[in-house]
Amino acid sequence: MKLTVFGATGGIGQEIVSQALASGHDVTAVVRDPARLTASGERLTVLRADLSDPEALRGALKGRDAVLSGLGARTRADAGVAARLTRSVLTAMEAEKVRRLLVVSAAPLGPVPDGQGVLDKAVLAIINNVLKDVYDDLRVMESDLAASTADWTAVRPPKLTNKQRTGRYRTVVGGTPSRGRSLARADVAHAMLAMIDDPSTVKQGVGVAY
């Protein structure tokens, strides 16, 4: 497939690019700073672009089969970036008639799973309070996705780690895995690539966790 990756220099974005190339896909990585991209290969095209300008993104989307985005706030000070930049991506996709989009969101935006323990609920409440601005940003992003013409999927992992990819995670379309406390960035990327051609995930939030 021909894929475009936004947020390609982030932890999840780097994994998406590397794993997609290893699987034989053609990848266009859209970045602000090419020096931060560690992946390389004959099937990789690196495009430096202003992510806030939809017109500047159209060249990276023309003729693509799917778009994957790791865009999001790295700190509370960055809150707002996910919704703002994803809106630019959606505008550019519509102009180029590209439909499939998978983005990274977060587990707290999904429903509370059945059987959630008291401790898990208490921890989640604290995290929601501390990261309220970041999650509010993601809620706006998901609202924009729902209002768009894209065939979107919002992948919602819990706490992210830098551990090795296992491939042994659980996914719940429209829900949240019970007692899912963490997930490696490498497995988030693996899940997103696996969902590209899964029709059950289209226009859905998908909880992913160990």
Side-chain angles (χ1 to χ4, degrees), residues 1 3 20-29 40-46 64:
M1 284 186 286
L3 308 177
L21 290 171
S23 296
H25 299 301
D26 292 328
V27 179
T28 296
S40 61
E42 293 181 358
R43 293 181 177 272
L44 175 64
T45 300
V46 181
R64 311 312 280 181

Side-chain angles (χ1 to χ4, degrees), residues 159-196:
K159 179 183 178 181
L160 297 170
T161 74
N162 290 322
K163 293 182 179 180
Q164 296 295 313
R165 186 181 76 192
T166 69
R168 297 190 298 272
Y169 47 80
R170 297 171 291 149
T171 61
V172 181
V173 177
T176 307
S178 60
R179 297 179 175 82
R181 296 185 177 92
S182 68
L183 190 66
R185 290 175 174 84
D187 274 325
V188 177
H190 185 268
M192 292 176 72
L193 289 166
M195 290 179 200
I196 291 175

Side-chain angles (χ1 to χ4, degrees), residues 51-111:
L51 304 186
S52 64
D53 180 6
E55 284 298 315
L57 305 181
R58 291 183 60 176
L61 296 170
K62 187 176 181 63
R64 311 312 280 181
D65 297 306
V67 178
L68 298 98
S69 172
L71 295 171
R74 290 189 173 92
T75 68
R76 292 178 63 186
D78 295 330
V81 69
R84 178 169 54 85
L85 297 184
T86 302
R87 201 169 294 134
S88 293
V89 172
L90 286 168
T91 300
M93 287 179 61
E94 186 169 1
E96 292 298 330
K97 296 180 171 54
V98 178
R99 296 293 300 273
R100 191 70 174 110
L101 172 64
L102 299 97
V103 305
V104 178
S105 186
L109 273 70

Side-chain angles (χ1 to χ4, degrees), residues 102-163:
L102 299 97
V103 305
V104 178
S105 186
L109 273 70
V112 176
D114 294 336
Q116 185 82 304
V118 174
L119 178 59
D120 286 327
K121 288 181 180 179
V123 171
L124 182 60
I126 293 171
I127 293 173
N128 280 337
N129 184 59
V130 172
L131 297 178
K132 181 179 182 301
D133 293 343
V134 172
Y135 293 149
D136 285 348
D137 177 25
L138 294 175
R139 289 187 180 92
V140 173
M141 178 190 73
E142 289 204 19
S143 178
D144 288 343
L145 292 174
S148 75
T149 60
D151 291 334
W152 57 271
T153 300
V155 179
R156 298 167 174 162
K159 179 183 178 181
L160 297 170
T161 74
N162 290 322
K163 293 182 179 180

